[in-house]
Amino acid sequence: MIDFHCHLDLYPNPHEIVRRSQEREMYILSVTTTPSAWSGTFALATEVPRIFTALGLHPQIAFERKSEIRLFEHLVSDVQFVGEVGLDGSPEFKRYWNDQVLVFSRILDVCEAVGGRILSIHSRRAAAATIDLLEKRSKVSSPILHWFSGSANELKRAISLGYWFSVGPAMLMSEKGRILVSHMPRNRVLTESDGPFVQVSGRSAFPWDVAGVVNSLASIWKQPIHSVEATLLDNMRSLISISGCRSNPNNGSGTANYA
Ligand code: MN
C-alpha cells in the first residue's frame, strides 16, 4: 500500500504510526508543513525503508513562516521530495494570498533550479492559480496535485501538462471527487491518506486507510483490487525513476540515501 501524502509528524504518537505502517510494508511520503519540522520528521524514519520525507512549507501558514524560505533553500539540495507546498484560496487564507504566492513561487524557482524534485502540492480553491505558477516553470519535474478539487477543465489542463494526482478518502466521499478521479489518467494516480487531518469514520485517518481508496479505485476503474494495487506500485516506481530519484524504493535504503 502507498500513502503518498501523510503528516506523520502531526500524529500524537508518530513512532507508533511508523511502526504499524512498517508492519504493513507501506510506502509513505511523509510531508511536512515547515522547513524547521523537516529534520525531526526525517529522524522519525531514518532507519525505515519505504518512508520518504518531504520538505514543505504549507500555504496555510506561509504568511507566518515565510522567513523559513531560507531554511528551505538550504535543505532542498538534500531532499528528493518537496511538500506540502502550494496555494489555498479558501476565505480564511485568501487574506494572505500575496504571501502564499511569494512563498510558492520561490519554492518552485528553487525546485526548478535544482531539478528532479517530486512535489506534493495543495491547491484548494486555487487550482487555476496553482497550475498557472507551475506552468511558468516547466522544468519543475514532477508535480503531484494532492486532493485535487478543481473543475473538470482545470483537471484537463493539469492532465495535459503531465501532472500527477494523489487521491484520498475525503475526495472519494463526494460525487464530484469521484467523477474527477474517473477522468484522471490511471498511470498518473497515487493514493494518500492526508492523515491526521482527514477524518475517516469519525477519527483521524491512518496511512493504512488507503486500503479504502484502493477499493474505491477498483470500483471506479472496474478492475480487481490486486490489479489496482499493481498499477499504483508501477505508478510510484515510474514517478520516482522519471524524476531521477537517488533513493531506489526497492532496495530498502529509504530516506537514508537522500542526504
Ligand atoms: Mn496535507
Side-chain angles (χ1 to χ4, degrees):
M1 285 193 292
I2 299 166
D3 179 358
F4 227 65
H5 183 109
C6 180
H7 299 264
L8 282 180
D9 61 334
L10 301 182
Y11 286 95
N13 50 345
H15 291 283
E16 170 78 4
I17 304 296
V18 168
R19 188 185 61 73
R20 293 173 69 186
S21 301
Q22 242 187 315
E23 281 169 7
R24 292 166 169 81
E25 302 192 340
M26 292 198 61
Y27 289 97
I28 295 180
L29 182 65
S30 166
V31 296
T32 53
T33 53
T34 62
S36 51
W38 189 83
S39 60
T41 308
F42 175 76
L44 283 174
T46 314
E47 303 297 323
V48 183
R50 306 183 200 91
I51 297 184
F52 314 115
T53 307
L55 173 65
L57 211 173
H58 199 288
Q60 294 176 353
I61 53 173
F63 71 98
E64 54 183 359
R65 297 302 188 104
K66 57 191 171 193
S67 63
E68 289 196 36
I69 197 79
R70 280 191 208 93
L71 183 57
F72 183 97
E73 292 167 2
H74 176 71
L75 292 171
V76 75
S77 54
D78 293 342
V79 304
Q80 200 67 47
F81 298 92
V82 167
E84 180 166 0
V85 296
L87 297 175
D88 192 312
S90 314
E92 63 267 49
F93 301 108
K94 196 75 199 244
R95 53 198 282 224
Y96 304 116
W97 184 253
N98 292 343
D99 283 336
Q100 293 187 42
V101 170
L102 204 78
V103 165
F104 187 45
S105 301
R106 182 66 194 146
I107 284 170
L108 293 178
D109 288 341
V110 170
C111 288
E112 194 174 34
V114 293
R117 299 299 183 272
I118 296 170
L119 287 74
S120 185
I121 298 170
H122 177 112
S123 58
R124 189 166 69 153
R125 298 205 186 187
T130 303
I131 298 169
D132 286 343
L133 290 187
L134 280 167
E135 196 178 15
K136 282 189 208 140
R137 296 162 181 87
S138 56
K139 282 186 241 141
V140 170
S141 64
S142 302
I144 309 167
L145 299 178
H146 120 83
W147 193 344
F148 183 79
S149 57
S151 68
N153 278 333
E154 287 159 347
L155 176 66
K156 270 187 202 154
R157 216 181 133 202
I159 292 169
S160 71
L161 288 163
Y163 302 161
W164 291 67
F165 304 92
S166 55
V167 172
M171 246 190 111
L172 293 162
M173 283 173 202
S174 75
E175 181 64 12
K176 183 199 168 194
R178 287 192 295 271
I179 291 171
L180 286 172
V181 171
S182 72
H183 288 106
M184 291 171 181
R186 291 179 196 188
N187 62 348
R188 275 190 261 146
V189 169
L190 295 166
T191 47
E192 66 167 43
S193 70
D194 202 13
F197 291 121
V198 163
Q199 297 280 305
V200 172
S201 315
R203 45 125 183 117
S204 290
F206 295 117
W208 45 92
D209 285 317
V210 296
V213 181
V214 173
N215 286 340
S216 300
L217 288 174
S219 89
I220 292 169
W221 292 350
K222 299 184 173 51
Q223 281 183 356
I225 285 171
H226 68 87
S227 75
V228 172
E229 283 174 336
T231 299
L232 294 169
L233 207 54
D234 282 349
N235 289 353
M236 185 191 69
R237 288 180 173 141
S238 83
L239 171 67
I240 290 175
S241 70
I242 289 165
S243 306
C245 184
R246 283 166 288 169
S247 177
N248 178 350
N250 302 317
N251 69 7
S253 58
T255 46
N257 270 6
Y258 295 166

